[in-house]
């Protein structure tokens, strides 16, 4: 026999607070909000017993109740094979092996998400949200001890009838979005790595092969559907809840859970691109020259291009390598390349060159192959103004710090230079601008990434200390030369960094104001703690 869940929750309120909520606070009481949704459960006896025993197993109560609401085929608990399968579907070891949620729950729509959030509030059980599961650090999108909301059943990709937009479920990875859109000869300015999820990348900004023309991924979102901490489901666009629309463009998951993105779409067939690799020591100087030239001139003259320049240690071959990932939205005849990349493609002695014209999705699959799942992962980021000597000196510093650990098991360390181009900065001002605090800038910037993958947890301390050393020494070099910039890109930041503070005091204050308006109970600051919040880094160094 099914019981109305609201009877259980009313009991929970009495036990927790010793009183019945008054009419004035009923609008924020998850117990009454669940009652209004007419949620039912047959777990009244077990729930009441657990609460009366005061045994602290509130996440267990939450997960058992979710299973009674949604069914055992939608809620996976510890000990089930389905639970272990879900746990294995995270990119990094830190998330797949070191985080252990009490349960996974698989909603199918925004109403399901609202119920999950309200029940988490009622039981004070923390939760995390998984789209693609590509956050490197523990707890970023997989709860440790709480509820992990897994969006794998919310994967719709629906182009509009006029072909100008696409509605996207939050469980999609980018290759799934592009593969669907390619059936209509369309694409969008989304992520460049196939298995990265839509939600995390978009809420943190999102750099695309097309960012020179269209800005970041967040600048291309027309509308959001979002579930608030109150369980309310809102539609958000530039006219409706416009303050929240601005905040969602770079502010991360601090305001609610986005259950649908509607993005700008555009016509696109095959595009040119690929990777070219050289031995590092003979190639690094001309490649740094090339990316500086691209930043200062090429990217302005041809905003259809995109360039990532990496310097890494290839342990398998016992050699340092330089790798350029160059892409352009226009296809090229076989054996030809866009003029903007003449400096790079004219370099001799490349031992690998995959450049060709192919689909957008195929290019993301190639990028994805450089960062396989199943290893320990760490990303760090900082920003500088563009300067050749600084780039060269930071590369020397990187090599010096990495040399002592470069042969740790399955170690792949890389220093990555990307350019935030002037056309990108201009495009960031679309639809009222985003929250990152750099839109409209007149000078290109170097976005400098430190990435490392390795196998053994026992090496964590040394690896992370090495990355921290490289970061602090590089930032000091930039400061000494007046070339430092405060911006930290959220999607590349480590758990020890604070990207939201880097948006500037004014933007952070504005984000806080939006948070207090739409999440007055602080649900997404307190119960959803694993990613970047307003109080500083997720983990203190």
């Amino acid at each position: 026999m099914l019981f109305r869940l609201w009877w259980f929750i009313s009991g929970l309120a009495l036990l927790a607070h010793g009183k019945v909520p008054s009419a004035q606070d009923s609008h924020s009481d998850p117990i009454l909000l669940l009652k209004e949704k007419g949620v039912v459960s047959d777990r009244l006896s077990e729930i009441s017993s657990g609460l009366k025993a005061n045994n602290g197993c509130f996440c267990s109560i939450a997960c058992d109740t979710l299973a009674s609401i949604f069914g055992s085929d939608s809620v996976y608990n510890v000990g089930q094979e389905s639970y272990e399968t879900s746990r294995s579907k995270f990119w990094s070891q830190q998330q797949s092996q070191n985080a252990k949620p009490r349960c996974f729950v698989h909603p199918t729509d925004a109403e399901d998400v609202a119920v999950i959030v309200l029940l988490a509030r009622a039981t004070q059980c923390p939760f995390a949200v998984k789209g693609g599961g590509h956050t490197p650090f523990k707890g970023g999108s997989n709860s440790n001890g709480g509820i992990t909301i897994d969006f794998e059943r919310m994967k719709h990709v629906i182009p509009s009838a006029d072909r100008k937009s696409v509605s996207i479920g939050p469980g999609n990875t980018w290759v799934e979005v592009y593969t669907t859109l390619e059936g209509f000869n369309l694409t969008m300015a989304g992520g460049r790595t196939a298995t990265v999820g839509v939600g995390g990348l978009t809420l943190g900004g999102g750099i695309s092969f097309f960012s020179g023309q269209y800005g970041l991924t967040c600048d291309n979102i027309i509308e959001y559907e979002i579930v608030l901490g109150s369980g309310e489901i809102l539609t958000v666009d530039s006219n409706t809840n416009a303050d929240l629309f601005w905040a969602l463009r770079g502010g991360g998951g601090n305001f609610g859970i986005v259950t649908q993105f509607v993005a700008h779409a555009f016509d696109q067939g095959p595009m040119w691109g690929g990777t070219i690799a050289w031995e590092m020591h003979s190639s690094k100087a001309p490649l740094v020259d090339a990316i500086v030239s691209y930043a200062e001139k090429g990217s302005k003259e041809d905003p259809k291009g995109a360039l990532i320049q990496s310097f890494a240690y290839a342990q398998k071959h016992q050699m340092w390598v330089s790798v350029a990932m160059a892409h352009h939205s226009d296809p090229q005849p076989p054996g030809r390349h866009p003029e903007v990349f003449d400096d790079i493609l004219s370099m001799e002695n490349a031992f690998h060159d995959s450049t060709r014209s192919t689909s957008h999705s195929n290019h993301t699959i190639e990028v994805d192959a450089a960062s396989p799942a199943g290893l320990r992962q760490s990303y760090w980021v900082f920003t500088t103004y563009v300067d050749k000597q600084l780039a060269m000196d930071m590369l020397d510093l990187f090599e010096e710090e990495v040399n002592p650990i470069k042969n740790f098991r399955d170690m792949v360390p890389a220093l990555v230079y990307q350019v935030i181009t002037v056309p990108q900065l201009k495009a960031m001002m679309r639809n009222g601008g985003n929250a990152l605090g750099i839109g409209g800038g007149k000078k290109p910037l170097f976005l400098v990434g430190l990435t490392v993958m390795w196998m053994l947890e026992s090496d964590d301390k040394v690896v992370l200390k090495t990355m921290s050393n490289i970061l602090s020494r590089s930032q000091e070099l930039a400061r000494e030369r007046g070339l430092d910039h405060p911006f930290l890109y959220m999607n590349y930041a480590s758990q020890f960094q604070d990207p939201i503070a880097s948006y500037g005091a004014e933007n952070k204050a504005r984000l806080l104001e939006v948070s207090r308006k739409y999440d007055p109970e602080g649900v997404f600051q307190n119960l959803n703690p694993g990613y970047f919040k307003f109080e500083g880094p997720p983990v203190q160094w």
Side-chain angles (χ1 to χ4, degrees):
M1 178 179 179
L2 292 177
F3 295 86
R4 286 281 174 183
L5 183 59
W6 64 268
W7 288 113
F8 138 65
I9 295 175
S10 296
L12 174 56
L14 290 168
L15 287 165
H17 306 295
K19 63 172 184 171
V20 176
S22 65
Q24 67 184 18
D25 60 18
S26 63
H27 70 283
S28 64
D29 193 314
I31 297 160
L32 296 181
L33 292 168
L34 274 166
K35 171 183 173 182
E36 290 172 5
K37 289 184 176 292
V39 178
V40 296
S41 172
D42 62 353
R43 303 303 299 272
L44 177 62
S45 298
E46 294 92 335
I47 291 165
S48 298
S49 297
L51 290 168
K52 289 176 181 177
N54 194 27
N55 57 14
C57 62
F58 297 127
C59 283
S60 177
I61 291 170
C63 289
D64 289 348
T65 305
L66 286 169
S68 73
I69 295 168
F70 296 118
S72 59
D73 61 337
S74 294
V75 180
Y76 303 158
N77 283 288
V78 175
Q80 295 178 309
E81 184 178 349
S82 55
Y83 171 95
E84 293 302 330
T85 299
S86 290
R87 194 166 168 232
S88 71
K89 293 180 180 178
F90 289 84
W91 176 57
S92 73
Q93 278 189 22
Q94 291 98 318
Q95 293 241 77
S96 65
Q97 296 182 12
N98 298 131
K100 190 172 185 180
R102 181 61 186 81
C103 65
F104 290 92
V105 58
H106 300 83
T108 60
D109 58 24
E111 287 290 349
D112 288 354
V113 175
V115 170
I116 297 164
V117 170
L118 290 172
L119 190 57
R121 285 184 59 194
T123 57
Q124 288 296 289
C125 181
F127 60 90
V129 181
K130 174 184 179 285
H134 219 270
T135 302
F137 51 83
K138 177 181 175 180
S141 55
N142 193 17
S143 179
N144 190 36
I147 300 164
T148 294
I149 302 170
D150 190 333
F151 278 138
E152 70 175 1
R153 299 181 188 176
M154 295 177 67
K155 287 189 151 189
H156 61 276
V157 181
I158 306 171
S160 63
D162 64 5
R163 299 171 50 88
K164 293 181 179 180
S165 65
V166 55
S167 300
I168 304 169
N172 284 288
T173 59
W174 287 109
V175 72
E176 292 168 328
V177 173
Y178 302 145
T179 300
T180 300
L181 289 176
E182 283 162 4
F184 301 87
N185 290 317
L186 295 171
T187 198
M188 64 164 289
R192 298 165 295 181
T193 303
T195 58
V196 166
V198 165
L201 179 132
T202 303
L203 293 171
I207 303 173
S208 166
F209 294 139
F210 305 97
S211 286
Q213 300 171 80
Y214 300 105
L216 301 183
T217 303
C218 68
D219 302 317
N220 287 269
I221 302 303
I222 300 166
E223 180 184 288
Y224 303 85
E225 177 185 77
I226 186 171
V227 176
L228 303 183
S230 65
E232 186 178 1
I233 301 168
L234 294 184
T235 297
V236 178
D237 59 32
S238 59
N239 297 311
T240 306
N241 304 302
D243 51 352
L244 182 55
F245 180 74
W246 173 83
L248 289 171
R249 300 167 76 179
N254 284 294
F255 314 96
I257 299 176
V258 176
T259 49
Q260 179 173 268
F261 300 85
V262 180
H264 169 64
F266 51 87
D267 292 332
Q268 181 67 44
M271 57 181 288
W272 179 90
T275 62
I276 314 100
W278 305 260
E279 186 278 328
M280 187 183 82
H281 295 104
S282 60
S283 63
K284 61 182 181 180
L287 282 171
V288 169
D289 280 337
I291 198 168
V292 168
S293 176
Y294 175 77
E296 296 178 343
K297 182 180 178 183
S299 62
K300 298 177 184 178
E301 295 177 349
D302 187 354
K304 293 183 178 182
L307 179 62
I308 305 172
Q309 181 61 63
S310 302
F311 301 93
Y313 184 71
Q315 189 180 101
K316 180 179 179 180
H317 302 289
Q318 293 287 295
M319 66 181 291
W320 288 90
V321 298
S322 303
V323 180
M325 289 185 177
H327 294 85
H328 197 279
S329 61
D330 290 344
Q332 303 292 311
R336 301 289 298 275
H337 62 263
E339 185 179 345
V340 69
F341 296 125
D342 278 350
D343 290 349
I344 293 171
L345 273 297
S346 64
M347 287 180 55
E348 297 180 348
N349 300 318
F351 63 81
H352 173 81
D353 184 345
S354 68
T355 55
R356 78 278 191 209
S357 293
T358 187
S359 66
H360 188 186
S361 59
N362 280 342
H363 286 299
T364 69
I365 291 168
E366 181 181 16
V367 173
D368 194 69
S371 53
L375 295 169
R376 305 190 73 74
Q377 304 279 354
S378 188
Y379 278 25
W380 304 66
V381 72
F382 61 101
T383 303
T384 74
Y385 289 99
V386 174
D387 183 81
K388 176 187 175 180
Q389 192 58 51
L390 177 63
M392 292 293 292
D393 290 346
M394 291 191 298
L395 181 52
D396 290 342
L397 185 158
F398 171 75
E399 185 177 359
E400 173 194 329
E401 288 280 354
V402 165
N403 267 324
I405 67 168
K406 66 184 180 184
N407 287 311
F408 281 9
R409 184 176 169 186
D410 294 331
M411 169 75 74
V412 183
L415 177 66
V416 183
Y417 292 126
Q418 298 183 62
V419 182
I420 304 176
T421 68
V422 171
Q424 286 178 23
L425 293 167
K426 181 179 179 180
M428 288 183 200
M429 301 305 293
R430 298 173 65 186
N431 298 321
N434 61 44
L436 305 184
I438 58 174
K442 304 301 183 185
K443 293 183 178 181
L445 301 170
F446 268 156
L447 188 65
V448 187
L450 301 172
T451 74
V452 59
M453 61 185 85
W454 69 104
M455 177 58 74
L456 300 178
E457 185 175 359
S458 58
D459 291 332
D460 283 10
K461 185 175 181 180
V462 176
V463 171
L464 295 178
K465 177 61 176 173
T466 299
M467 294 299 109
S468 177
N469 288 347
I470 297 166
L471 178 78
S472 60
R473 291 181 63 190
S474 297
Q475 289 179 311
E476 182 60 28
L477 278 181
R479 278 192 293 270
E480 289 173 354
R481 302 175 192 185
L483 295 168
D484 58 309
H485 191 283
F487 176 64
L488 301 176
Y489 178 50
M490 182 181 290
N491 293 345
Y492 296 164
S494 82
Q495 65 268 42
F496 309 109
Q497 296 185 279
D498 186 2
I500 293 175
S502 80
Y503 297 174
E506 182 178 342
N507 277 13
K508 181 176 179 179
R510 188 176 170 189
L511 288 167
L512 278 164
E513 182 181 356
V514 174
S515 172
R516 294 184 185 117
K517 176 179 176 181
Y518 291 93
D519 185 23
E521 303 297 317
V523 173
F524 292 94
Q525 300 305 304
N526 300 313
L527 289 179
N528 179 219
Y531 204 53
F532 297 106
K533 303 298 171 183
F534 297 124
E535 294 301 315
V539 178
Q540 295 298 320
W541 180 252

